[in-house]
Amino acid sequence: MSAPAALALPALVDGAELVGEFKNSGYREPPQLVRLPNRQLVRLPPLLFLVARALHEHRHLAGEGDVAASLATVADSVSREAGARLSAEQIVYLVDRKLAPLGVTTFSDGTAPQSVRSDPFLALKFKVAVFPESVTWFIGGLFAWLFRPWVMAPVLGAFMAGEVWVLTSHSIADALSMAILKPVSILLVIALGIASCAFHEIGHASACRYGGVRPGVMGCGIYLVWPAFYTDITESYRLGRGGRLRTDLAGVYFNGIFVIGLTLLYAQTGFAPLLVAIVYVNLEIVQQLLPTLRFDGYYIMSDLIGIPDLFRYIGPILRRTLLRRPADARLEDLKRWPQIFVTIWVLTVIPMLAFQIVLIITQVPGLVAQDWGMMRRLASAAADGADPLTLLTSGLQIVLLVLPLIGVAFILYSMARGVVRWAVRYVNAPVAEAASGT
């Protein structure tokens, strides 16, 4: 083989790490994981992983002048491991067409790949890191002991006992009506809800450290239109199914610990807004366990069957189920029971999501009228010299009413854009096939 002048031995990009097999996956052929420098994980078929590993193991050949011989050495190494003969030309093809576009290796001409960043459907946007990995690691270490079995059992028991005591012996409606009348109480409940969300994320970080993997940064971003906290727990994919599920459930587990603290404080003080805060955090837990959007419940379903992104199977499953089209390659790659599970999830979640959207849309006129009335009262109160605390509370209530409207509009826009793209591909497909056949 004569090497072109521009040919260079490809190399694993700086900062990338060959993680290894994705444990307990739902794929027929378990994929291999590579962590990119930006902490994003890439799933590779075994053959591509062997190529990336062989290039990394033979990186010392990059300084030699005969690139063709170096590529032949890499090809021989891959061939021995794969049990099939590969040539140097095939190594170059796999690098330039598969690995480099994914950001795993450099191209065969020595150029670096572009930074790869996935954009999953309905994912968190505009993320800003607040705490670096070192701080997250430290915070996780402070609370990792809470996952020891001899600690979890009494904590869960205390949570259930507290829930029964609060719900059966106290009037939540009276506490709610009292809290609404006092702006300070509303602000306190909102502040406690935010603190519970932050403690939720500490739970994810602590579960990572307990499992022996390093959590990433902690920060905040925008989910649809709502501000949200997040913790980078990408490293949890190094764990088996049990470790990943523990990490997924850790957030609501820490919400439960937060509820225990509020319950004890309420038992000592009888302060009614604390009872409202307990209900508020319980609603947070229920929301997190919903599998319709990318909350904890979604990731629990995903890790339970070993399929990282369930949303990408909505189109293939609907085409196969509703349009009676043959299953495409993405579905054929899955094991039998994960296929069944994902199908049930899609056929359950899509109606649930549609029902939620329709339910909110039907409430839009009332929300708009309520928003408009509150804004008028706020303007009137401001003209009459209302105190700043009342104005702040009313303003927050208006924001909380407006956000669901914007969120519904964003979801409808995303779904409509997806439908239009699918329709364009569907219409253009016969044209493309006809053109390729001429």
Side-chain angles (χ1 to χ4, degrees):
M1 169 183 173
S2 59
L7 193 64
L9 183 67
L12 202 67
V13 296
D14 291 337
E17 180 186 355
L18 302 172
V19 177
E21 183 179 327
F22 178 24
K23 301 175 183 176
N24 306 119
S25 78
Y27 299 95
R28 296 183 187 276
E29 190 174 38
Q32 306 291 319
L33 301 178
V34 177
R35 195 189 76 161
L36 301 182
N38 59 6
R39 294 183 61 90
Q40 183 174 317
L41 285 176
V42 175
R43 298 188 308 277
L44 296 178
L47 178 60
L48 289 181
F49 187 82
L50 289 177
V51 173
R53 188 171 67 184
L55 289 171
H56 186 60
E57 290 173 349
H58 294 85
R59 60 190 180 278
H60 61 280
L61 300 177
E64 299 186 1
D66 193 347
V67 179
S70 300
L71 286 169
T73 301
V74 171
D76 289 340
S77 176
V78 175
S79 299
R80 286 194 300 271
E81 298 244 10
R85 181 62 190 169
L86 271 76
S87 66
E89 290 86 352
Q90 289 171 320
I91 296 295
V92 170
Y93 176 85
L94 292 175
V95 166
D96 288 343
R97 297 297 183 92
K98 303 292 183 180
L99 290 174
L102 291 173
V104 176
T105 66
T106 59
F107 286 91
S108 62
D109 61 0
T111 59
Q114 293 183 347
S115 179
V116 176
R117 173 64 64 180
S118 63
D119 185 22
F121 179 65
L122 297 179
L124 191 70
K125 305 288 186 182
F126 309 111
K127 295 190 291 185
V128 176
V130 177
F131 296 124
E133 293 181 30
S134 58
V135 175
T136 307
W137 174 260
F138 173 76
I139 295 174
L142 295 178
F143 297 96
W145 59 275
L146 290 168
F147 292 95
R148 298 185 183 277
W150 58 268
V151 176
M152 290 186 66
V155 166
L156 294 176
F159 171 73
M160 296 302 298
E163 292 288 278
V164 172
W165 179 71
V166 167
L167 295 175
T168 59
S169 60
H170 296 80
S171 176
I172 296 175
D174 292 343
L176 183 60
S177 61
M178 290 175 60
I180 290 176
L181 297 176
K182 298 179 180 180
V184 175
S185 299
I186 296 175
L187 293 177
L188 176 63
V189 171
I190 293 175
L192 289 173
I194 294 173
S196 174
C197 290
F199 197 57
H200 175 105
E201 298 305 324
I202 292 175
H204 291 308
S206 302
C208 277
R209 179 151 182 181
Y210 180 80
V213 297
R214 195 172 189 89
V217 299
M218 297 177 67
C220 55
I222 301 296
Y223 188 67
L224 300 180
V225 294
W226 291 272
F229 297 114
Y230 77 92
T231 302
D232 184 350
I233 58 171
T234 306
E235 294 291 305
S236 66
Y237 277 100
R238 297 177 184 269
L239 305 174
R241 181 181 290 118
R244 296 197 300 268
L245 289 173
R246 179 179 57 236
T247 305
D248 296 335
L249 289 164
V252 295
Y253 172 54
F254 270 49
N255 284 141
I257 295 174
F258 198 88
V259 167
I260 293 173
L262 291 177
T263 303
L264 292 175
L265 193 58
Y266 174 73
Q268 291 295 319
T269 63
F271 188 46
L274 293 175
L275 189 59
V276 179
I278 292 171
V279 176
Y280 187 91
V281 178
N282 273 277
L283 292 177
E284 286 181 1
I285 293 174
V286 173
Q287 180 196 53
Q288 285 294 334
L289 292 176
L290 292 176
T292 49
L293 298 176
R294 290 184 186 269
F295 298 126
D296 289 350
Y298 167 83
Y299 292 105
I300 291 169
M301 296 293 102
S302 174
D303 287 328
L304 187 63
I305 60 173
I307 306 297
D309 191 355
L310 299 177
F311 279 112
R312 70 191 296 264
Y313 294 96
I314 289 179
I317 287 175
L318 292 181
R319 283 194 295 270
R320 185 181 67 177
T321 305
L322 301 181
L323 302 180
R324 301 299 180 182
R325 300 287 179 81
D328 66 14
R330 281 178 290 180
L331 292 178
E332 293 296 334
D333 288 341
L334 303 183
K335 296 176 183 176
R336 181 62 179 169
W337 77 266
Q339 275 196 47
I340 297 173
F341 192 103
V342 173
T343 301
I344 294 173
W345 180 83
V346 169
L347 297 180
T348 303
V349 164
I350 293 301
M352 286 178 59
L353 187 58
F355 173 76
Q356 291 175 6
I357 293 174
V358 170
L359 184 64
I360 296 176
I361 290 176
T362 57
Q363 302 300 316
V364 166
L367 288 174
V368 171
Q370 192 173 354
D371 247 6
W372 176 247
M374 187 168 291
M375 283 188 283
R376 293 181 60 183
R377 289 195 298 272
L378 182 61
S380 176
D384 295 338
D387 62 278
L389 188 60
T390 301
L391 295 177
L392 176 61
T393 305
S394 299
L396 285 174
Q397 288 176 309
I398 291 174
V399 170
L400 294 175
L401 288 171
V402 169
L403 284 178
L405 301 178
I406 302 175
V408 170
F410 182 82
I411 293 175
L412 291 176
Y413 167 76
S414 299
M415 295 177 66
R417 184 177 62 176
V419 170
V420 169
R421 287 179 175 177
W422 173 83
V424 170
R425 288 195 302 267
Y426 182 80
V427 170
N428 291 339
V431 177
E433 291 174 2
S436 63
T438 58

